[in-house]
Amino acid sequence: MEQTREAVMPDNNAVASEKVAESRNEQKPDKYIWAIFITLLIVSVVELYSASSFEVKASNVFAPLVRHGMMLVVGTLLAMGISRINYRWFIPIIPMFVIFSICLMAYVLVAGEIVNGARRSVTIVGITLQPAEFLKISAVLSIALIMSRSQTRHGVKTWGVVASALIVLLFGGMLFSQGLTNTILLMGISVSMMLIGGIEWRKFLIVMLCYGFIAGIGLIVKLSGESEREQIEAAAIAQAKGAPMETKVDRSGTWKERINRYIGDSIPKYDKPIDAKNRQEMYGYMAQARGGFFGVMPGNSRETSRLPLAFSDYIYSIVVEDLGFIGGFLLLVLYLSLLARAGNIASRCRRAFPALLVIGMAVMIVLQALFHMAIVTGVFPVSGQPLPLISKGGSSILITSIAFGIMLSVSRFATQSKVKKNETDPEAELLPADVQAVNPTLIN
């Protein structure tokens, strides 16, 4: 019995010392990130209701707002819960989450539900999930883990760079059939995290050349297919001859039409007639023009009643119509301030893993917001990309809330300054040995 007690005591002591070290390292979650999150929630509720004319029914005017509000509540609770978990507990979960995301995406590519011309979602227990959102955050989590494990004094080990690039290419290839923007977004996220991770310039240039080469080949293959008009004509001829209905989902024709309109069209947008192909973007431009400098105020939007997907892919148009240039600009600043604050936190993290986590999550959210705004304002070709936390969409809200929760967890538990010479670093006692690499931005 005495031997058993002696054997148990070291374990209890280890647990106790671990709890002491963790409590020593705990801080309050970052109030600026919380403020940005809450502000986005408020904007989301106001603008989603303003943009939901297509969904509003006379029998239940508030139904769209209630559904969206419930998702925001779930997202808020999720962010609060994750913010209270030490980010070190994410390490063993990351591989399982990545495998789950890949399996979910693989299933959707084969038998997923078709949304806007592509297989995008799957319904599980009455909940509709879009695996594309899961792959984005999986890329951030896996790259953060790989880059932190492959740190050296003067850069990143070659295997870490290769593994990170292969993950992006795998995920990008799975997302390629759904649209270009998600693939480009993944590449942008990985590039940002590699730079923060201290990758050498020679390796960085090689990665960029590989990305460009593979993306160029993929784009050529996709755009070499028939145009949307040619596909429709071929399908009509085949059906007239008694051929069975084609069930294959092919987005290459849609891409070709959109890129041709974006690059090769010299007619000013205000001189173009509105048709079925450009209706969405044209009404989006009208909404922004009507907003002017100060906007027409929430609830007074006119274009929301005829703008398709005003509550999701084109909600920024309604924001500008309601709040004007001032409101649209302030929303842009709000997202950019999230990136700035995450960069500030990352620069003060002692270890590479939390620094990469917080900056990766911020880059994922902000790049997606910038892509949405660029598409809506005509800077990029038309494509579907939700505005984080503001557009309607359960998967997007949940994943964005998880990202905010992870950033808050890092701000709460990561060491936020250099450890003095004779001072014990709490993270050295808590983190696994293979992720204890020092934040490369702190190395002199």
Side-chain angles (χ1 to χ4, degrees), residues 44 140 416:
S44 179
V140 176
Q416 294 289 296

Side-chain angles (χ1 to χ4, degrees), residues 108-114 117-119 231 235 238 243-251:
V108 166
L109 290 176
V110 175
E113 299 167 5
I114 298 176
R119 296 192 185 279
Q231 290 180 16
M245 183 73 70
E246 179 64 55
T247 57
K248 180 182 177 181
V249 178
D250 185 3
R251 296 277 294 168

Side-chain angles (χ1 to χ4, degrees), residues 48 62 126 166 172 184 194 212 228 251 261 264 280 313 330 396:
L48 193 281
F62 295 101
L166 288 176
I184 298 172
M194 286 180 184
E228 190 175 14
R251 296 277 294 168
R261 289 203 306 269
Q280 192 172 42
D313 291 348
L330 290 178
S396 178

Side-chain angles (χ1 to χ4, degrees), residues 223-238:
L223 297 184
S224 62
E226 295 178 324
S227 68
E228 190 175 14
R229 178 180 55 80
E230 292 169 336
Q231 290 180 16
I232 293 173
E233 290 176 353
I237 293 172

Side-chain angles (χ1 to χ4, degrees), residues 270-398:
Y270 53 80
D271 280 342
K272 290 181 181 179
I274 299 176
D275 55 31
K277 294 179 181 178
N278 67 7
R279 181 167 61 118
Q280 192 172 42
E281 54 189 299
M282 294 300 285
Y283 286 140
Y285 299 145
M286 290 180 184
Q288 295 168 67
R290 185 168 181 262
F293 201 76
F294 295 106
V296 298
M297 294 295 105
N300 295 319
S301 170
R302 180 187 66 193
E303 301 305 327
T304 184
S305 61
R306 55 181 182 174
L307 174 61
L309 300 178
F311 48 82
S312 55
D313 291 348
Y314 268 75
I315 197 168
Y316 188 65
S317 291
I318 306 304
V319 171
V320 175
E321 184 180 13
D322 285 349
L323 306 176
F325 171 81
I326 294 293
F329 176 75
L330 290 178
L331 185 58
L332 171 62
V333 170
L334 189 65
Y335 281 111
L336 293 177
S337 65
L338 174 65
L339 184 60
R341 188 59 186 172
N344 180 269
I345 294 171
S347 67
R348 291 186 282 117
C349 287
R350 175 67 180 170
R351 304 292 172 181
F353 179 63
L356 289 166
L357 264 186
V358 70
I359 200 66
M361 295 300 165
V363 167
M364 179 188 74
I365 294 170
V366 175
L367 271 186
Q368 185 169 321
L370 293 178
F371 272 51
H372 175 98
M373 294 175 184
I375 291 166
V376 168
T377 56
V379 177
F380 286 176
V382 175
S383 184
Q385 197 64 235
L387 190 58
L389 272 189
I390 296 180
S391 292
K392 181 186 176 185
S395 297
S396 178
I397 290 173
L398 293 180

Side-chain angles (χ1 to χ4, degrees), residues 8-22 88 430:
V8 172
M9 285 301 291
D11 291 337
N12 290 338
N13 289 336
V15 172
S17 63
E18 184 175 308
K19 289 182 177 179
V20 169
E22 187 168 335
R88 70 188 177 95
L430 299 175

